[in-house]
Amino acid sequence: MDKFFKMKQNKTNIRTEFVAGVTTFLTMVYIIVVNPAILSAAGVPFDQVFMATVISAVIGTLCMALFANYPIAIAPGMGLNAYFASVVATQGLSYQIVFGTVFLAGIIFILLSLTKLRETLIGAIPPALKFGITSGIGLFIAFLGLRMSGIVVPNEANIVGFGDLHEPMTLLTIAGLFITLILYVWNIRGALFLGMLATGIISFFTGHLQFEGFMSAPPSPVFFDMDIGGVFSNSLYTVVFAFLLVTMFDTTGTLIGVAEQAGFMKNGNLPRAKSALLADATATTVGSMFGTSPSTAYVESTSGVAAGGRTGFTSVVVACLFALSIFFTPIIGAIADIPAITAPVLIIVGCFMMHGLARIDWKSFDEAFPAFAIILTMPLTSSIATGISIGFITYPLLKLVSGKGKDVHWILYVFGVIFVLQMIFFPAH
């Protein structure tokens, strides 16, 4: 064990790695509740999403452990699941077709991870667009949590308005939000999970949370419930690209962030980056086959690194704990029916994703406006793809007319034209 994971070389041991694995799992276990709750609202059977979430997390995290030897966990990504649900809702598509887009994005991601084209694509997209995309998704997620819980409601005067504080679910959400915020500010490990647990306990005593059992046999997984042909017949190329782009940036950014914290970066480069990216791409592809949205490396992995995790054994522990969770579906299903338990997590994770705003050059208008346009349009149009499209159109255009056209990679011009054509001839509805 020590030799395979190079524990002595990384100045760690099995006990430390085990504690780190448990810590990481506690900070991200909310996904096995939140992900099925979001996708089941789009019509996907809850049990199918639950099993797909666990399967993709186990496979992706084990691949990260065994081939990249990093203490980084993988699971279906927040934001990507909300985008999945919005595509189903706004475009009137079956979830099987949208799973087809996820599958194709996963295959392309695998191919890109095997070539140098991935580095070219990532290097071509300027920081302003990368941070704008991440921040826009953050607002998108937070708005979803506010809407789910009734904190914001439809309002004829201004589209949305403040909800009714006399509603029990809204009050529960606000209570859960403040409990979770306090735990997080106190640097309590697993604050997101413990906040959900505290809200669940309150819900139980108020009579809103009711269990019909605690343990059960795992649901039967559903395999290849998708319609790839529908992707082409509905011209969902922007959706495929959106899944690919966000997953690629999310994973790359997380890998670099966790690697820097753990001291893995060597002269600005990440060793075994190809294996790490392949782990995520594999999880996304396999997850789509069983019924979930794209997977990504989890920034919550930094909690495990902070607890001393330095090798893939931390990830093995996380994968094993995810596998054990399949025997507790009655508890998880009951929790998912209470928006107040999951909404605070969405709101807080949305805040986490805003950190890139500080790195945008707001004094340069041709940098600032495309990022602003992305951040503005994603939550207001309920479409991550639309936000990405507008960013890719406005950035090269503003650079070109300001005499800085040569500073823009040719790939951005190509995608800018593609997105213009997409929005004219194949607009999202």
Side-chain angles (χ1 to χ4, degrees):
M1 190 74 69
D2 177 82
K3 186 176 181 181
F4 182 83
F5 291 107
K6 301 179 181 178
M7 291 189 185
K8 288 184 179 179
Q9 182 179 325
N10 287 282
K11 299 178 181 180
T12 185
N13 54 57
I14 291 178
R15 182 179 179 277
T16 300
E17 295 289 298
F18 179 81
V19 172
V22 173
T23 302
T24 296
F25 176 76
L26 288 177
T27 60
M28 63 180 289
V29 67
Y30 64 84
I31 194 61
I32 63 176
V33 176
V34 177
N35 198 49
I38 292 175
L39 295 194
S40 61
V44 190
F46 180 91
D47 287 349
Q48 179 180 347
V49 184
F50 173 75
M51 287 301 294
T53 300
V54 173
I55 290 170
S56 59
V58 170
I59 291 177
T61 305
L62 281 179
C63 286
M64 181 70 76
L66 301 178
F67 300 113
N69 195 28
Y70 285 136
I72 300 174
I74 291 174
M78 294 296 294
L80 290 162
N81 47 18
Y83 174 50
F84 181 100
S86 73
V87 171
V88 174
T90 60
Q91 299 196 28
L93 300 168
S94 69
Y95 67 80
Q96 289 90 346
I97 293 176
V98 187
F99 279 139
T101 66
V102 177
F103 177 77
L104 292 175
I107 294 296
I108 296 171
F109 195 10
I110 289 175
L111 295 176
L112 290 177
S113 298
L114 294 171
T115 68
K116 291 185 178 180
L117 183 59
R118 176 186 56 82
E119 286 87 357
T120 302
L121 280 172
I122 293 175
I125 299 173
L129 294 188
K130 292 177 182 177
F131 298 136
I133 290 169
T134 303
S135 301
I137 294 171
L139 286 181
F140 184 90
I141 291 172
F143 182 72
L144 179 65
L146 294 171
R147 190 179 65 191
M148 283 172 53
S149 60
I151 294 177
V152 297
V153 295
N155 183 298
E156 292 183 4
N158 195 36
I159 303 176
V160 295
F162 193 62
D164 184 0
L165 292 183
H166 293 93
E167 288 291 330
M169 201 56 63
T170 304
L171 285 174
L172 277 172
T173 302
I174 294 173
L177 178 61
F178 277 101
I179 289 170
T180 309
L181 288 172
I182 291 169
L183 292 174
Y184 193 84
V185 170
W186 284 349
N187 294 317
I188 303 296
R189 290 175 181 171
L192 296 181
F193 175 74
L194 293 176
M196 291 176 64
L197 181 63
T199 311
I201 292 173
I202 295 173
S203 301
F204 179 76
F205 283 107
T206 59
H208 293 91
L209 179 61
Q210 297 178 350
F211 298 108
E212 295 181 1
F214 294 94
M215 293 185 66
S216 68
S220 298
V222 178
F223 184 68
F224 218 77
D225 184 21
M226 66 175 71
D227 179 5
I228 297 176
V231 178
F232 299 101
S233 62
N234 288 277
S235 302
L236 300 176
Y237 309 116
T238 302
V239 177
V240 174
F241 182 71
F243 278 132
L244 173 66
L245 193 67
V246 177
T247 304
M248 190 159 54
F249 289 150
D250 205 6
T251 298
T252 303
T254 301
L255 284 173
I256 292 172
V258 178
E260 285 179 345
Q261 180 183 351
F264 296 142
M265 298 294 287
K266 307 295 181 183
N267 299 319
N269 296 315
L270 178 64
R272 305 182 301 282
K274 182 180 290 186
S275 298
L277 286 162
L278 273 172
D280 176 68
T282 301
T284 293
T285 307
V286 172
S288 68
M289 293 180 182
F290 286 93
T292 188
S293 47
S295 296
T296 184
Y298 262 61
V299 71
E300 286 85 354
S301 301
T302 55
S303 64
V305 170
R310 291 295 181 274
T311 74
F313 189 73
T314 293
S315 298
V316 170
V317 174
V318 175
C320 290
L321 291 173
F322 267 113
L324 289 173
S325 69
I326 64 175
F327 298 101
F328 297 92
T329 50
I331 297 177
I332 294 169
I335 292 172
D337 286 335
I338 309 296
I341 298 176
T342 54
V345 175
L346 294 173
I347 297 167
I348 294 171
V349 170
C351 174
F352 293 161
M353 300 181 75
M354 305 297 290
H355 67 90
L357 289 176
R359 301 173 66 179
I360 296 173
D361 185 3
W362 293 104
K363 294 181 180 180
S364 298
F365 188 75
D366 53 4
E367 292 279 328
F369 186 81
F372 167 75
I374 294 172
I375 296 166
L376 182 70
T377 53
M378 280 189 184
L380 292 183
T381 64
S382 295
S383 173
I384 292 175
T386 299
I388 290 174
S389 298
I390 291 175
F392 270 71
I393 293 169
T394 55
Y395 188 88
L397 177 63
L398 293 183
K399 289 292 184 181
L400 189 63
V401 299
S402 62
K404 303 176 185 176
K406 292 183 179 180
D407 297 339
V408 180
H409 198 286
W410 63 268
I411 288 180
L412 287 189
Y413 289 110
V414 172
F415 281 123
V417 173
I418 291 173
F419 285 137
V420 168
L421 296 174
Q422 160 75 25
M423 297 185 78
I424 294 173
F425 297 106
F426 308 104
H429 299 290

